[in-house]
Amino acid sequence: DMSQEQTPSYWSYPSDFVYEKFSGEQEKDAEVLNYECFAIAKDWLEKGDRMLKSPEEYDGVKARCNVFEEVLARIEDEMYEVDMAIERNSCAMRLLEPIAEEAMRLRQQEEKDGQPIGRLQYALSPRTLNSIHIGAIARVYGEAGDEVIQHLMANALVVVPIVFER
């Protein structure tokens, strides 16, 4: 069964469309969730010689129709970028946390033994940090990011705890 046009930007789902409800859905959710129509771009409707009237046939290429859709798309893009930055930083922190703990333990051991602090040199293997970790750390430090990465690789015992705290 074909979709029906409700407005220039909204179409109803086909009558045989199966709604997949999420596992935690309650009766109250049905009051606010939309099971009746979906939004589409104007250029979506015609592809070649046939009309597309099913959401499954939409290929994801969407021309924004008005200023409001442009703003909404920009906000969604920015939110995505923020989410990705948070995930990259979180990934770098998960990697650095055990190294920072080891550095603190070694530093405490030096103090306990009466050794000069910073006597031990602990260099990271070049394979310890991948491009995602390096990019996340460099982004936090801005213009000084490259220098911080160089110091991090050369003397991780001193630099890792500082980077991890920041």
Side-chain angles (χ1 to χ4, degrees), residues 12-33:
S12 64
Y13 286 105
S15 59
D16 60 345
F17 185 76
V18 178
Y19 304 108
E20 292 189 29
K21 297 182 179 184
F22 64 94
S23 61
E25 189 171 324
Q26 300 173 357
E27 280 184 38
K28 196 173 188 179
D29 297 327
E31 295 173 12
V32 295
L33 293 175

Side-chain angles (χ1 to χ4, degrees), residues 41-77:
K42 291 178 184 177
D43 70 337
W44 177 67
L45 299 176
E46 293 190 29
K47 290 278 186 184
D49 57 350
R50 64 184 201 140
M51 297 289 284
L52 301 177
K53 298 290 190 243
S54 169
E56 290 85 16
E57 294 176 344
Y58 181 51
D59 65 4
V61 178
K62 180 178 187 282
R64 296 175 184 109
C65 300
N66 60 40
V67 139
F68 304 110
E69 289 179 359
E70 286 288 336
V71 170
L72 182 61
R74 189 172 65 243
I75 290 169
E76 288 173 347
D77 289 346

Side-chain angles (χ1 to χ4, degrees), residues 3 47 112 114 122 133 137-138 142 157-158:
S3 298
K47 290 278 186 184
K112 185 176 160 186
Y122 182 83
H133 305 123
I137 294 166
L157 192 62
V158 175

Side-chain angles (χ1 to χ4, degrees), residues 99-163:
I99 299 170
E101 289 171 357
E102 176 74 8
M104 291 302 291
R105 190 183 62 72
L106 290 172
R107 177 170 267 169
Q108 290 169 351
Q109 186 66 35
E110 278 184 337
E111 289 175 5
K112 185 176 160 186
D113 293 343
Q115 299 292 329
I117 296 174
R119 176 183 63 87
L120 295 176
Q121 291 293 313
Y122 182 83
L124 290 177
S125 164
R127 295 182 184 202
T128 303
L129 300 173
N130 66 26
S131 61
I132 294 172
H133 305 123
I134 291 170
I137 294 166
R139 197 172 296 106
V140 168
Y141 286 92
E143 291 180 14
D146 290 338
E147 186 178 349
V148 170
I149 296 296
Q150 289 173 357
H151 288 296
L152 179 66
M153 297 306 283
N155 193 1
L157 192 62
V158 175
V159 180
V160 167
I162 297 167
V163 170

Side-chain angles (χ1 to χ4, degrees), residues 1-6 10-19 34-39 53-56:
D1 201 9
M2 300 295 273
S3 298
Q4 299 296 318
E5 183 175 10
Q6 303 294 319
Y10 287 91
W11 285 73
S12 64
Y13 286 105
S15 59
D16 60 345
F17 185 76
V18 178
Y19 304 108
N34 173 16
Y35 293 115
E36 297 164 11
C37 58
F38 59 96
K53 298 290 190 243
S54 169
E56 290 85 16

